Amino acid sequence: MTKTVLIADDEPNILISLEYLMKREGYRVVVAHDGQEACELIEREHPDLVLLDVMMPKKTGFEVCHEIRANETFKAMPIVLLTAKGRDTDVAKGLAMGANDYMTKPFSTKELAQKVRDLLGAQA
């Protein structure tokens, strides 16, 4: 069965490129344009993995990550935070909120695709 990846980012160009990359990798893709929409889509779609921008309107990626981890249904869902904020404190905060991994923009699409494969493979 095809795995579903939710991509949440408020930057249209990043959404388009990540959607293209994930579809090329064979995943079904759902996109959210802000943190609130991400939470709603996670509840409705139950994606297999979430790619989550940290700096978004309505709810930050940190807040979305925290909400996902607080919900028993989604506790095991892999989350990769994507952000331009690469300071050690930001990385530590993301991991403390329950993210499985953290990638700083700009990132290698090849590296991201491999991370997604690894996380989804570990889930099977």
Side-chain angles (χ1 to χ4, degrees):
M1 192 164 126
T2 304
K3 301 271 188 183
T4 300
V5 174
L6 180 131
I7 304 166
D9 202 305
D10 61 325
E11 175 55 51
N13 292 335
I14 292 174
L15 265 181
I16 290 166
S17 61
L18 288 177
E19 182 178 13
Y20 173 78
L21 173 68
M22 291 297 111
K23 283 183 175 177
R24 195 181 72 203
E25 291 289 316
Y27 303 114
R28 178 177 166 265
V29 176
V30 180
V31 297
H33 303 89
D34 61 58
Q36 181 61 46
E37 186 181 11
C39 287
E40 292 164 5
L41 286 170
I42 289 165
E43 281 285 338
R44 190 168 68 233
E45 298 286 335
H46 293 252
D48 297 290
L49 180 136
V50 178
L51 298 176
L52 197 55
D53 182 30
V54 169
M55 302 300 290
M56 290 187 293
K58 297 186 182 173
K59 287 185 182 181
T60 68
F62 292 134
E63 292 169 322
V64 175
C65 189
H66 182 71
E67 282 187 35
I68 293 169
R69 290 299 179 237
N71 184 326
E72 200 59 46
T73 306
F74 305 116
K75 266 197 188 314
M77 179 185 296
I79 301 169
V80 178
L81 289 175
L82 308 172
T83 187
K85 298 176 80 173
R87 296 192 323 254
D88 289 346
T89 54
D90 295 317
V91 174
K93 180 178 180 179
L95 296 174
M97 290 283 187
N100 296 75
D101 216 327
Y102 199 104
M103 292 191 73
T104 305
K105 297 174 187 175
F107 46 79
S108 154
T109 55
K110 192 175 183 179
E111 189 180 331
L112 177 61
Q114 185 60 55
K115 261 186 213 298
V116 169
R117 271 193 303 274
D118 291 348
L119 285 166
L120 288 174
Q123 200 183 31

